[in-house]
Amino acid sequence: MPSHEFEEPACEDTCILPRLLQNGANPDPSGFQVTPLQIAVHARDLAGVNALLEAGADPNNTGDAQGVYWDPKTSVLGPYTKLRGLAPLYILRHLKAYPWCESGMLGEDIDLMNGETTTAIERLLLNYGAFNISVENK
């Protein structure tokens, strides 16, 4: 889950994602309709996007259509089900941010489409080979 402040591009010692990746967590797991990178991009989590890409996440992965589904009404990850089938670059360019707040609850959709964080994430995705901006979500 995204756990970084929008304005803070660098992970602090308390960030769990880098530690998980250092301990062998797969940055691009199969079997889920939504990927960690899709979630990090949607949350405009620059540090998370960077950590996942550096660890080998596919910048064009749209998730596994037959994978685990999170019910929007019963799962804390439910709001992210709308990302299934969408490329990270598409998410960045066409969806409003949905940040993970410090309280642990999902924040409201906010418009960060032209911010420095969005520009930095787009640059990262493109540098790692993102090209897929198609919509496969049904």
Side-chain angles (χ1 to χ4, degrees):
M1 294 304 304
S3 61
H4 310 279
E5 294 285 330
F6 286 90
E7 299 83 17
E8 184 59 48
C11 245
E12 300 294 330
D13 292 336
T14 59
C15 294
I16 197 165
L17 180 60
R19 283 186 273 155
L20 288 171
L21 294 170
Q22 288 170 355
N23 287 313
N26 185 347
D28 219 12
S30 60
F32 296 92
Q33 289 187 2
V34 178
T35 70
L37 184 60
Q38 288 171 299
I39 293 171
V41 167
H42 195 231
R44 301 308 189 270
D45 179 359
L46 177 57
V49 169
N50 188 51
L52 288 163
L53 290 170
E54 283 182 354
D58 179 354
N60 297 298
N61 190 345
T62 61
D64 181 352
Q66 304 303 315
V68 173
Y69 171 78
W70 301 312
D71 188 321
K73 295 179 182 173
T74 60
S75 172
V76 70
L77 298 174
Y80 292 113
T81 59
K82 67 182 177 183
L83 305 178
R84 71 187 198 291
L86 301 178
L89 198 54
Y90 180 89
I91 292 166
L92 183 69
R93 290 178 175 172
H94 299 283
L95 299 182
K96 289 183 179 182
Y98 205 76
W100 186 260
C101 297
E102 284 185 32
S103 66
M105 302 299 291
L106 287 171
E108 298 292 324
D109 279 355
I110 60 172
D111 189 3
L112 293 176
M113 301 307 286
N114 296 315
E116 289 178 30
T117 299
T118 299
T119 302
I121 291 172
E122 182 173 50
R123 194 174 307 122
L124 268 174
L125 288 170
L126 293 171
N127 286 342
Y128 277 89
F131 61 85
N132 187 352
I133 59 168
S134 66
V135 179
E136 299 172 18
N137 192 348
K138 295 180 181 171

